Amino acid sequence: MIADDMITFIGNDLVTFGLGVLIFLVVMLTIIFRSARWVALPLASCFHAGLSMVGLLGLMGWQVTVISSNFISLMLILTMSMNVHLVVRYRQLAQDHPEISHQTRVLTTMQKMFWPCLYTALTTILAFGSLVLSSIKPVIDFGWMMSIGLVVTFAVSFLLFPALLSALGPARKVEHSSSPGLAFTRSLSRVTADHGRVVVALSLMLAILGAVGISRLEVENSFINYFGKDTEIYRGLKLVDQELGGTTPLDVIVRFESEPQNPVAEESDDDLALLLGSVSQGNPVDYWFTPEKINTVSAVHDFLASRYGVGQVLSLASLIRVGESISKTPFDTFELAVLYKRMPDDLKAALLSPYVSIENDEVRLTARIRDSLPDLRRNALLEDIQSGLEAEVGLAPERFQVSGLVVLYNNMLQSLFSSQILSLGVVMLGIALMLLILFRSLRLAVIGIAPNLLAAAIILGMMGWARIPLDMMTITIASITLGIAVDNSIHYIYRFRSEIGRIGDYVKTLHYCHANIGRAIFYTAITIIAGFSILILSNFLPTIFFGVFTALGMAIALLASLTLLPRLILWLRPFGN
């Protein structure tokens, strides 16, 4: 039933996210550009990229999971952001150079934007590609899907978009200074130029708070809390967990040592075999049920039942106790052997075979963990069970094994920290290397990555302060924020470098870039922020957290890219005096 509901959620999310983002994009493009041409062209690219990617996944037989169910909306958002940069650049050329032909403007736009867009696509691919280093299969698939999708996005943006724009001919209107967002970027340029110390001091303070918050991050999470309290999944799991013995299964396998053979008896058996031709060794059931084994099973059963967070425990001991409560007398080992042999096969398969394996000298105890307990710490519980079976019950480590879904789920949670650190490290190194290759300057590489590291640190810090644990979705937030947000830095630095030689003054170049590329950054950031906000319509809480915190990260990265980044340029003067 849970699997069926999850599939329903995925189908609903695919439709909801796709339609929600599409409607939002139409509204945003209309507000920003106020022209049917500049609404239709980016939408055509988005539709073509999305359809191509969905078709490709279908041909490859790639199944969509609850984690990758938002890939369509992300494809639309990222395709739209790249196309917005192209539109703004074309309109700026039309305003600054009205004398050149339409075809020349299209070609110049593509030439000017090719390298920054290529590097922004590569950094975003790197961010999503880092997810393949995770040990969680759905996260790996999501990383591959988005990496391939970004290749499709770049190809469509630089093939279909200019082809359609050329076919449409020149636009009748050019962009004016009263365009939306211009007042916002101008105010940020004044703050950056006039209050640089405040910008740097505030950034340092937020970085420190983020670092402290990161130290408070935890991975302890509950599957039941992945769903809203009004969903049928949550209500059903809550009822089973609290009233019917728990939900998540935990198994303990206990192995017994084989009874040593008596060499004298073996010799006598050989003599009898010579006389009689064969010797019956007897039925193993006759001597398997020994007091030592029954006492061991009972001790492990009682130990598990005494642990906090453990609900119903079932084992051979629980069956023996039911029988004893009915007969009012304790069972001895002979009676257990007789009972085992005389029990009908179908009843034996249902009641005893799941818990006893005579041929392998093993018993199985199964428990269910109360997953909805708010203070349950699964890793600590498993460590307590492991150490308690050795110290309190007296089992050697090689004689038992703890397994089950709770162990698998706990291992996944514990791997989230290493996955987060590994993916972040790969993204940071890869982005730094790309910036170094693109700008051929160590100072520019540091300047470009600093505001985006600040955004990622603040977001992770906010999760730590709010005690929101890492899960399958939220581990991707920092890497994706870093990979997408660095696009702002690349576009801004690339444009600043191309204009500083013409203008000849750092502060004047700052104001010019804020009024031009700053506006494009503002448009794309608003598009991405609102696009990720659509994910709050999901029924899967990790998806909601992913959308909210990624949107917040992009908002912080937008402010940092238009304040801290240009302030660092003014301070370090990477283009000379």
Side-chain angles (χ1 to χ4, degrees), residues 213 283 287 327 339 360 378 417:
N283 193 331
Y287 54 83
S327 65
L339 178 64
N360 295 319
R378 290 159 192 78
F417 267 128

Side-chain angles (χ1 to χ4, degrees), residues 366-386:
T366 178
R368 284 183 284 154
I369 306 301
R370 298 189 184 276
D371 200 52
S372 63
L373 294 174
D375 54 347
L376 178 65
R377 296 294 178 265
R378 290 159 192 78
N379 196 52
L381 173 62
L382 292 174
E383 290 178 351
D384 176 55
I385 291 174
Q386 187 77 24

Side-chain angles (χ1 to χ4, degrees), residues 50-67:
L51 184 64
S52 301
M53 190 58 194
V54 172
L56 181 62
L57 294 179
L59 288 173
M60 296 172 63
W62 217 331
Q63 296 181 349
V64 179
T65 66
V66 70
I67 294 179

Side-chain angles (χ1 to χ4, degrees), residues 285-442:
V285 176
D286 295 337
Y287 54 83
W288 193 88
F289 291 95
T290 63
E292 183 214 355
K293 292 176 180 176
I294 302 303
N295 292 337
T296 299
V297 173
S298 298
V300 175
H301 182 107
D302 294 337
F303 170 79
L304 289 176
S306 67
R307 301 299 95 179
Y308 176 76
V310 177
Q312 182 69 43
V313 181
L314 290 176
S315 68
L316 177 64
S318 56
L319 298 176
I320 292 174
R321 290 169 185 175
V322 170
E324 291 176 344
S325 66
I326 296 174
S327 65
K328 306 299 182 182
T329 57
F331 284 172
D332 59 28
T333 55
F334 175 75
E335 290 172 325
L336 286 174
V338 172
L339 178 64
Y340 184 88
K341 289 195 294 184
R342 291 187 176 180
M343 184 177 289
D345 290 340
D346 55 345
L347 198 59
K348 186 186 299 181
L351 296 180
L352 284 176
S353 297
Y355 307 107
V356 178
S357 176
I358 293 177
E359 59 273 16
N360 295 319
D361 271 337
E362 292 179 347
V363 293
R364 170 175 172 255
L365 299 94
T366 178
R368 284 183 284 154
I369 306 301
R370 298 189 184 276
D371 200 52
S372 63
L373 294 174
D375 54 347
L376 178 65
R377 296 294 178 265
R378 290 159 192 78
N379 196 52
L381 173 62
L382 292 174
E383 290 178 351
D384 176 55
I385 291 174
Q386 187 77 24
S387 59
L389 289 176
E390 297 180 31
E392 298 182 31
V393 182
L395 294 177
E398 65 274 7
R399 286 189 55 193
F400 70 90
Q401 180 176 350
V402 181
S403 63
L405 186 59
V406 67
V407 176
L408 180 66
Y409 184 65
N410 180 71
N411 289 345
M412 184 201 72
L413 291 177
Q414 298 306 314
S415 71
L416 294 181
F417 267 128
S418 58
S419 296
Q420 178 74 78
I421 294 171
L422 184 61
S423 60
L424 263 181
V426 169
V427 171
M428 285 190 294
L429 288 175
I431 289 176
L433 182 60
M434 287 184 182
L435 292 175
L436 195 60
I437 295 173
L438 176 62
F439 299 118
R440 295 180 178 85
S441 168
L442 181 60

